[in-house]
Amino acid sequence: MSVRLFVGNLPYDATEDEIKSHFSSVGNLSYVFVPIDRETGKKRGFAFVEFADEAQAQEAIRQFNNQPFKGRPLAVNEARARDASAPRPLRPPAPYSRGPAAPAFTDPGSMESPRGDRPARKNFGPDAKPARARTQKFKPDAGKKSFKEKLTGQIFGTDDEDDPNAETEIDNFATGVDEEEK
């Protein structure tokens, strides 16, 4: 039964042939795979190697784990199946096209859908007026305007005095004694 090994911490410039020649000292390799990043097209820094014999795979783990390869210590262990329940790190979505570009704007009156899997949108009436041209449905009483002055009560002014030369009576609060009580 064949055993697949994970080889981590590989230099990015390592090729499949170099990995194959490095691991072939233990035994015959049946498979070598170096994954390449979809977005950048560069190697991802790890590889998978497969041995036909389990004893050779264990010997490769013992011999090459934490040993330098092109200046970097390799991490060699038995490959595990990818766990579906384990959360994978989120990567930003890659820019890709879904095929032929759909027209950016379609006639709202046409009932044809630009995509076959979505229902067509219905025409719900004429276009709305711009927001500034619409009448407001709710206006607060005073809004942002200044308050209106309500004219109630008595208004005092200089015109209301009877005799401008008359002496004004002032209470003397400092002494606390009324002039009438003297």
Side-chain angles (χ1 to χ4, degrees):
M1 180 178 153
S2 63
V3 178
R4 184 173 289 187
L5 299 180
F6 170 81
V7 181
N9 201 25
L10 276 174
Y12 292 103
D13 61 345
T15 63
E16 285 186 19
D17 293 333
E18 292 173 336
I19 296 168
K20 190 175 236 180
S21 66
H22 186 68
F23 280 89
S24 64
S25 65
V26 173
N28 257 352
L29 288 171
S30 59
Y31 177 74
V32 176
F33 175 66
V34 179
I36 295 177
D37 192 283
R38 280 179 265 184
E39 295 156 3
T40 62
K42 296 180 181 178
K43 296 175 184 168
R44 296 180 65 188
F46 64 92
F48 294 101
V49 295
E50 191 171 291
F51 287 95
D53 185 27
E54 188 172 342
Q56 291 175 347
Q58 293 303 323
E59 178 63 24
I61 292 172
R62 189 188 63 72
Q63 187 175 344
F64 295 121
N65 192 27
N66 292 326
Q67 296 302 312
F69 174 71
K70 294 180 86 175
R72 297 182 77 169
L74 294 179
V76 182
N77 51 32
E78 194 167 336
R80 296 182 301 252
R82 188 182 282 173
D83 189 11
S85 64
R88 294 179 62 185
L90 295 176
R91 302 176 94 188
Y96 64 95
S97 65
R98 291 186 179 191
F105 297 101
T106 58
D107 180 24
S110 71
M111 293 305 237
E112 298 173 7
S113 173
R115 290 183 43 185
D117 60 342
R118 292 187 189 169
R121 293 187 175 170
K122 296 181 181 177
N123 188 1
F124 287 106
D127 292 337
K129 290 182 184 178
R132 292 181 184 162
R134 294 184 204 150
T135 58
Q136 289 186 352
K137 294 179 181 173
F138 171 75
K139 289 185 181 179
D141 292 334
K144 294 182 181 178
K145 298 178 184 176
S146 62
F147 292 105
K148 289 185 179 179
E149 184 180 342
K150 292 186 178 181
L151 300 175
T152 59
Q154 188 175 1
I155 299 175
F156 296 97
T158 57
D159 297 338
D160 295 339
E161 293 182 13
D162 295 334
D163 186 13
N165 295 331
E167 194 175 311
T168 321
E169 239 181 79
I170 300 175
D171 289 337
N172 189 355
F173 291 106
T175 59
V177 177
D178 289 337
E179 290 183 16
E180 297 172 0
E181 293 180 7
K182 289 184 185 176

